[in-house]
Amino acid sequence: MIATSLPTYFLSHGGGPWPWLDGPFRRGFDVLEASLKGMRRELADAPRAVLMVSGHWEEFRFTLSSGHRPGMVYDYSGFPPETYRIRYAAPGLPVLAETAANLLRSAGLEAGTDATRGFDHGTFSLMEVLYPEETMPLVQMSLRADLDPTAHLAAGRALAPLRDEGVLIVGSGLSYHNLAQLRGTAGHEPSRRFDAWLQETLIAASPSDREARLIDWARAPAARAAHPHEDHLVPLLVAAGAAGSSPAALTYHQKDFAGGITASSFRFGEAPTIQHIEEAFA
């Protein structure tokens, strides 16, 4: 027996097209890669499709990619020329895009679809490691451009029924995203302090306190030093909203990313194979 509802995830997605690279830059993502491969193992064959909420896509309303064969959005700079020709060729799933949009509308949130939107690196960097076969149906969802925490939690709650239909809901961002302070040591302490608050909020707080703290995230220790613009944090709110009262667990943690940045990823709810093992020994 597997879990009735799939868990949701907030994943730190790393930098640019890192899975396609090699050398020292690529080795900086080895811990993240191992965590993603562990995520694939714990999910086994349970997901039927992935809904990826990307920190690299903002629209005036929640928007879902609805093309049958989405293209690519190379939303990075300074990487080798071949990384602007890579292709992640997973199929889109228009019926899922429309279902998700209807769920959002039913919750009073304006939503639409976009048949021309391609996958950006907030999506394809993770999916290349999670599902390198490129056969898992994939829909990408935008943030709402106002980045309102309450609205994004509400969007997650609206999408929660998809968990019972085999849809894996993933918020893709970064637990620390201040590119101006990524090099050197300026970001080390702010990333550590904000990450400690994240863990306290997501893992130790009650579900009601968790939502209240996330809504008020800008008052957290080192909040604006960690997220001058919160586009890479807000996907977490969708994942948390979709999780409801499901408990959170740390799935990736690194204290030395880029030389000293603290970064994390989280799962909300039990993964299917974890629950299967627990039930077998109950």
Side-chain angles (χ1 to χ4, degrees), residues 186-212:
H188 294 183
E189 182 62 13
S191 70
R192 185 197 66 78
R193 292 177 63 206
F194 188 73
D195 197 274
W197 178 87
L198 266 185
Q199 292 195 46
E200 179 183 329
T201 296
L202 301 180
I203 298 172
S206 68
S208 59
D209 286 346
R210 181 167 75 194
E211 284 211 355

Side-chain angles (χ1 to χ4, degrees), residues 215-239:
I215 289 170
D216 204 25
W217 75 269
R219 299 180 66 180
R224 282 300 179 188
H227 291 279
H229 183 67
E230 59 266 36
D231 53 350
H232 278 58
L233 178 68
V234 170
L236 163 63
L237 303 178
V238 181

Side-chain angles (χ1 to χ4, degrees), residues 45-255:
D45 296 325
R48 296 170 52 221
V50 174
L51 177 61
M52 187 77 70
V53 184
S54 175
H56 284 267
W57 187 17
E58 297 178 27
E59 297 285 351
F60 76 94
R61 63 181 180 179
F62 293 110
T63 306
L64 296 111
S65 64
S66 59
H68 287 277
R69 288 288 174 182
M72 302 287 281
V73 178
Y74 303 114
D75 54 342
Y76 42 76
S77 61
F79 289 94
E82 61 270 19
T83 64
Y84 299 88
R85 298 188 294 270
I86 60 177
R87 174 87 172 130
Y88 186 78
L93 192 57
V95 66
L96 173 58
E98 193 57 50
T99 298
N102 284 334
L103 288 170
L104 292 166
R105 294 181 192 117
S106 295
L109 298 165
E110 192 173 357
T113 59
D114 183 344
T116 66
R117 174 71 186 194
F119 301 138
D120 60 50
H121 89 260
T123 292
F124 63 70
S125 62
L126 294 173
M127 292 295 290
E128 173 66 14
V129 181
L130 286 169
Y131 294 101
E133 308 88 351
E134 302 181 8
T135 56
M136 176 63 70
L138 175 60
V139 170
Q140 185 173 290
M141 182 174 128
S142 78
L143 304 177
R144 202 173 76 179
D146 63 2
L147 303 179
D148 177 65
T150 301
H152 287 81
L153 283 165
R157 287 193 291 271
L159 296 170
L162 297 175
R163 297 174 59 196
D164 297 326
E165 304 299 326
V167 177
L168 180 65
I169 300 173
V170 178
S172 172
L174 286 167
S175 60
Y176 173 86
H177 193 248
N178 186 338
L179 297 181
Q181 296 188 354
L182 194 59
R183 293 180 175 85
T185 62
H188 294 183
E189 182 62 13
S191 70
R192 185 197 66 78
R193 292 177 63 206
F194 188 73
D195 197 274
W197 178 87
L198 266 185
Q199 292 195 46
E200 179 183 329
T201 296
L202 301 180
I203 298 172
S206 68
S208 59
D209 286 346
R210 181 167 75 194
E211 284 211 355
R213 288 167 67 99
L214 287 173
I215 289 170
D216 204 25
W217 75 269
R219 299 180 66 180
R224 282 300 179 188
H227 291 279
H229 183 67
E230 59 266 36
D231 53 350
H232 278 58
L233 178 68
V234 170
L236 163 63
L237 303 178
V238 181
S245 61
S246 298
L250 191 67
T251 60
Y252 158 70
H253 186 66
Q254 191 168 355
K255 296 180 180 179

